[in-house]
Amino acid sequence: MKTIIQKFGFMVAVMAMIFTGCKDDGNDPVAPTFSTDIVSVAEGSSATATVLSGTEPFTVESSAEATATAKVDGKTITVTGIAAGTASVTVTGSDGGEAKLSVAVTQKAANAPTLSATTVDVEVDGTATVTVSGGTPAFTVRSSDENVARATVSGTTVSVQGISGGTALITVEGSDNASSTFAVTVNDEQIFFGPDKKQLGNGQKRFHIKKSHTIRRGVYTMVGWIYVEEGATLTIEPGAVIRGSNRNYDGTEAATGSTLIIMRGAKIMAEGTPAQPIVFTSAMPAGQRQASDWGGIILCGKAKNNQTAMTIEGGVEADHGGSDDDDNSGVMRYCRIEFGGYPYSQDNEINGLTLGSVGRGTTIDHIQVSYAADDSFEWFGGTVNCKYLVAYHGWDDDFDTDNGFSGKIQFILGVRDPKIADQSNTNGFESDNKSDGGAQTPNTSCVFSNVTLIGPLGQDDNFVNHTDYINGYNWGSGEAAASIRPGIFQAAMQIRRNSHLSCFNSVFTGYPVGLMLSNEGRGNTQGAAADGLLKVKNVFFAGMGRLGADADKKDPSSWEGDISANYFSQAELNNRTGSIADLKLKQFKSKKIVGENLVDDATASWAPLADSPLLGAADFTDAFLNHTFFSVVTYSGAFSGESDNWMEGWTNFDPQNTEY
């Protein structure tokens, strides 16, 4: 009997193994999706499509290489036309999921029209234009599917209208019958509202964008919290102006203020130009704008932080963090962010630009944040590198770094309004590793070089570091009144709670305290400085109230101690002190008196004059600067001289009076 039972048990075990092996493990291959289903390309030319979803890395194979070839780099597929005809490109993910991309190769005629785009995205009922150059007028146009998209032409401008979701080819033909084509993808997800389709979002508190869209040049109003979901790309054309508002196009009040949130796995492609920057600003009329008129811009990535998955601050339902330090959240270049910083609750505000675990595959440069109701820039973990940043007249800190941010930053300007400071005590730099001072890794170890930070001292002869003077221009209404109460200024550089932030080749002016290395029972930042884990080196402090303080306290009478000052004064660090006049800056005051009012002075210049000690003062020999990201220059501070024009054209130092 025992033998029979043993045999029966063995059979049951074998059958269980068989059924277990046949069981669906739930990990089915994911078929890739694309930014367009059809790629139109002329003989001898190339065009691209983006993989929006699927499992990297991808491989590609053309069905007819005599007609078209294909290659893939990350998520970008490049198709090259060989001979007129059609083909398909099979795109396969590493998990075996595959999908086909259709290719139409047009014959290259001797006088074929040249088109400004080979692919166009448009919403249902939306319009887009393509410009024709070359070819032989007059031109005619036709659509391969008028149920999807229709086209008209006037002179050299082709107008396309989206009819229903799908893809169509538009043929542009000259009077000599030579033609060229472009592909149109019509998106059936509506993101624009109102009679003129100029409102982004429908006024609900949470508006989700799940497909890729393009915001074309023009003036738009953003209403509500706009979430761009994983797999979607929001492209914004140069010259676009997006005004944050809490009211719908019909005047009704929206559920909340407005904020643009790029979720993990989504992208923003906001690439302006010096002549046509992209502007995110207040919807209020000129002269009536204030900090907290709307929220701000939030990017969430998949790079490391020291708390794994985190929820971004500001009341937003968005997580950030992962293990991909090369993660790519897109491009922000030549952009301005004005009058944002929504106060969700005290000490839980939306910043001007918030970067949560953003990876180094992301491009961030030439960004100006003005009059933000919280920090101008704040990084929570991540590895993204940034250049050419401007923080102008913000409410709280200019540059705040937390939770293991390890990126590199160069050429930045911060300018304070002496009338604006936060109740939490405002700093130029504020840096923590973790709020409790923990030593979790990755450690906040960002490296800054070529910084110019202009504090409040010296900008107004009547300045007093007290709320009798620092009144924030009496801004704040409704919810904002409870959260953006004025406070006082504290330190040019506050490094605390186990942060290992480093700064080189820089200049700071006019703060009550120069350097504050604070332990305060949370971490050992002072020990990290003594051990060389953080460095403040080759830095000028000018016009400070006191060189250093060792305690982060609300009460200025507690700003005392010698550890920070003694560290800064070590000969081997080559730091220097003096008066603001010693720096010989062209015109460092950002405010001027008109009548009885202190107003923005758009003519201010923080460039060093020819005999400034900042010129020729840089030193890039420290190992912390041994990275290809850093441009090796000869000057300290953000500018090489009066002719240094990296801010020219795209910045605005009087946004209160600009008509949009």
Side-chain angles (χ1 to χ4, degrees):
M1 177 65 70
K2 182 177 180 181
T3 303
I4 295 173
I5 292 174
Q6 289 175 333
K7 289 182 177 178
F8 180 77
F10 176 76
M11 292 173 64
V12 170
V14 170
M15 292 174 68
M17 292 174 62
I18 292 171
F19 283 114
T20 300
C22 294
K23 184 179 178 180
D24 183 4
D25 62 7
N27 296 321
D28 293 332
V30 178
T33 60
F34 312 111
S35 57
T36 179
D37 293 325
I38 301 177
V39 174
S40 175
V41 62
E43 292 176 337
S45 298
S46 297
T48 61
T50 302
V51 183
L52 301 179
S53 63
T55 306
E56 295 186 75
F58 299 102
T59 59
V60 293
E61 182 178 2
S62 173
S63 65
E65 293 209 343
T67 300
T69 61
K71 62 181 181 179
V72 63
D73 181 8
K75 293 184 178 181
T76 301
I77 301 169
T78 301
V79 178
T80 301
I82 305 300
T86 60
S88 64
V89 174
T90 300
V91 181
T92 305
S94 61
D95 63 352
E98 66 176 43
K100 294 184 184 297
L101 185 66
S102 297
V103 178
V105 181
T106 58
Q107 186 174 9
K108 184 177 180 180
N111 200 30
T114 300
L115 307 177
S116 60
T118 58
T119 59
V120 170
D121 298 322
V122 65
E123 277 192 2
V124 172
D125 295 330
T127 59
T129 59
V130 171
T131 302
V132 184
S133 60
T136 306
F139 299 105
T140 59
V141 292
R142 60 181 181 272
S143 172
S144 65
D145 190 344
E146 293 206 340
N147 292 320
V148 173
R150 296 172 186 167
T152 59
V153 62
S154 176
T156 58
T157 301
V158 179
S159 298
V160 178
Q161 181 183 11
I163 306 300
S164 64
T167 305
L169 288 175
I170 306 298
T171 300
V172 182
E173 188 172 285
S175 60
D176 60 355
N177 297 324
S179 64
S180 298
T181 64
F182 63 91
V184 178
T185 299
V186 180
N187 198 329
D188 57 3
E189 179 185 55
Q190 184 178 5
I191 68 168
F192 298 110
F193 298 85
D196 57 358
K197 302 293 184 184
K198 292 293 187 179
Q199 176 174 308
L200 176 62
N202 62 3
Q204 295 178 353
K205 183 173 182 178
R206 299 172 183 84
F207 183 81
H208 296 268
I209 297 176
K210 299 180 180 179
K211 298 183 178 181
S212 295
H213 294 265
T214 297
I215 299 177
R216 306 197 182 281
R217 183 181 179 186
V219 180
Y220 302 82
T221 300
M222 178 170 62
V223 182
W225 288 359
I226 310 297
Y227 292 84
V228 182
E229 298 285 350
E230 182 175 7
T233 297
L234 183 65
T235 300
I236 305 175
E237 290 186 345
V241 176
I242 301 174
R243 304 177 303 181
S245 177
N246 61 0
R247 291 196 171 274
N248 292 302
Y249 61 86
D250 59 3
T252 59
E253 188 169 351
T256 186
S258 49
T259 295
L260 180 60
I261 303 128
I262 309 301
M263 302 286 278
R264 284 189 294 189
K267 285 185 180 179
I268 183 171
M269 302 300 293
E271 193 162 3
T273 68
Q276 294 186 352
I278 295 167
V279 181
F280 302 90
T281 191
S282 167
M284 295 297 290
Q288 300 179 38
R289 299 167 185 146
Q290 64 179 32
S292 82
D293 275 347
W294 64 290
I297 310 298
I298 298 174
L299 272 61
C300 296
K302 298 180 180 180
K304 297 186 188 77
N305 62 64
N306 59 24
Q307 296 189 66
T308 61
M310 299 177 63
T311 300
I312 205 72
E313 77 169 14
V316 175
E317 297 173 357
D319 292 338
H320 62 94
S323 59
D324 184 4
D325 283 343
D326 294 318
D327 186 44
N328 184 355
S329 295
V331 176
M332 288 192 70
R333 172 176 284 157
Y334 293 110
C335 296
R336 297 203 305 267
I337 303 168
E338 303 167 348
F339 301 102
Y342 186 79
Y344 181 77
S345 62
Q346 186 171 336
D347 298 324
N348 189 20
E349 303 94 349
I350 297 172
N351 305 292
L353 178 60
T354 304
L355 300 154
S357 303
V358 175
R360 65 173 71 97
T362 308
T363 299
I364 304 288
D365 65 66
H366 295 89
I367 309 293
Q368 180 181 19
V369 177
S370 301
Y371 288 106
D374 193 45
D375 301 327
S376 295
F377 296 83
E378 185 160 12
W379 293 261
F380 295 91
T383 55
V384 63
N385 301 319
C386 308
K387 276 186 178 178
Y388 304 113
L389 307 182
V390 179
Y392 184 66
H393 291 177
W395 197 275
D396 198 5
D397 310 313
D398 289 329
F399 303 96
D400 194 343
T401 53
D402 309 284
N403 296 115
F405 174 54
S406 60
K408 295 164 180 58
I409 315 291
Q410 189 178 24
F411 305 127
I412 68 172
L413 170 69
V415 180
R416 302 305 313 197
D417 185 317
K419 288 275 189 181
I420 298 176
D422 188 66
Q423 59 187 326
S424 64
N425 288 7
T426 289
N427 305 289
F429 280 8
E430 181 177 281
S431 187
D432 304 345
N433 187 53
K434 197 169 177 285
S435 60
D436 63 2
Q440 286 84 349
T441 57
N443 199 283
T444 298
S445 56
C446 43
V447 180
F448 287 77
S449 185
N450 297 96
V451 177
T452 296
L453 249 61
I454 306 297
L457 297 176
Q459 293 208 58
D460 178 12
D461 293 340
N462 297 316
F463 174 78
V464 179
N465 198 27
H466 192 280
T467 51
D468 289 343
Y469 172 89
I470 305 170
N471 61 11
Y473 300 102
N474 300 311
W475 286 349
S477 59
E479 296 177 51
S483 295
I484 59 169
R485 293 194 298 269
I488 61 174
F489 290 94
Q490 186 172 246
M493 301 179 68
Q494 181 198 55
I495 309 174
R496 62 181 185 176
R497 299 174 182 172
N498 252 330
S499 170
H500 295 172
L501 176 148
S502 294
C503 185
F504 299 83
N505 304 319
S506 297
V507 56
F508 298 77
T509 76
Y511 273 85
V513 177
L515 177 63
M516 182 176 283
L517 299 173
S518 175
N519 284 358
E520 283 301 291
R522 287 188 269 185
N524 187 15
T525 303
Q526 295 166 1
D531 293 340
L533 299 176
L534 70 85
K535 296 180 183 179
V536 177
K537 189 173 181 180
N538 207 38
V539 169
F540 290 77
F541 276 177
M544 301 297 178
R546 58 178 292 141
L547 178 57
D550 303 335
D552 174 21
K553 297 285 190 179
K554 291 282 187 181
D555 183 1
S557 65
S558 300
W559 295 342
E560 55 189 20
D562 299 322
I563 295 174
S564 300
N566 289 341
Y567 168 80
F568 186 87
S569 301
Q570 293 179 55
E572 62 269 25
L573 295 177
N574 196 36
N575 295 319
R576 280 153 279 189
T577 61
S579 70
I580 298 175
D582 292 339
L583 298 175
K584 297 186 178 179
L585 304 179
K586 184 175 181 182
Q587 205 290 79
F588 78 96
K589 296 182 180 181
S590 66
K591 308 293 290 190
K592 62 183 178 181
I593 296 176
V594 177
E596 297 182 355
N597 299 315
L598 197 64
V599 301
D600 289 354
D601 187 350
T603 67
S605 171
W606 302 277
L609 298 174
D611 56 348
S612 169
L614 299 177
L615 301 180
D619 182 354
F620 282 81
T621 59
D622 193 279
F624 281 24
L625 296 172
N626 185 19
H627 193 280
T628 56
F629 167 81
F630 289 109
S631 300
V632 178
V633 296
T634 59
Y635 53 90
S636 290
F639 307 99
S640 64
E642 293 184 68
S643 62
D644 195 343
N645 61 356
W646 64 260
M647 294 194 304
E648 186 176 349
W650 64 277
T651 55
N652 184 353
F653 294 98
D654 188 17
Q656 181 65 265
N657 296 302
T658 301
E659 298 287 348
Y660 290 113

